[in-house]
Amino acid sequence: MLHADYRIESECSITGPLLPVPGRSQYLVPDGATAVVMAAKSATVPLGQEIRVVHVPTGEVIFRKTATPSRWSSND
């Protein structure tokens, strides 16, 4: 069984290139650095919601990210 000390979580679904199964709202990861990288490269569906990495034994949030939808326009 996987011993996971870190949890990537959000109130919404999370998607990203490093996630094993996109679309869940929680992922358990054994390593803190790996969890932060996975969370940093991810986004929520819908966009703009918070993604957190929590140290499970203590409940401490070690990383949080809120990705705001881009307002960039190609009509410069």
Side-chain angles (χ1 to χ4, degrees):
M1 178 179 243
L2 177 68
H3 177 57
D5 284 335
Y6 297 89
R7 181 177 60 241
I8 302 167
E9 65 181 24
S10 180
E11 298 297 320
C12 298
S13 297
I14 306 170
T15 186
L18 302 177
L19 299 175
V21 180
R24 296 182 180 171
S25 62
Q26 291 188 0
Y27 297 88
L28 297 175
V29 181
D31 178 72
T34 301
V36 169
V37 169
M38 291 171 69
K41 293 288 187 178
S42 298
T44 58
V45 178
L47 289 174
Q49 302 302 309
E50 185 177 73
I51 298 174
R52 297 170 296 279
V53 175
V54 178
H55 183 238
V56 174
T58 64
E60 178 184 7
V61 176
I62 64 164
F63 175 82
R64 66 179 59 212
K65 165 189 169 177
T66 303
T68 56
S70 175
R71 296 180 188 250
W72 177 81
S73 171
S74 62
N75 297 330
D76 289 324

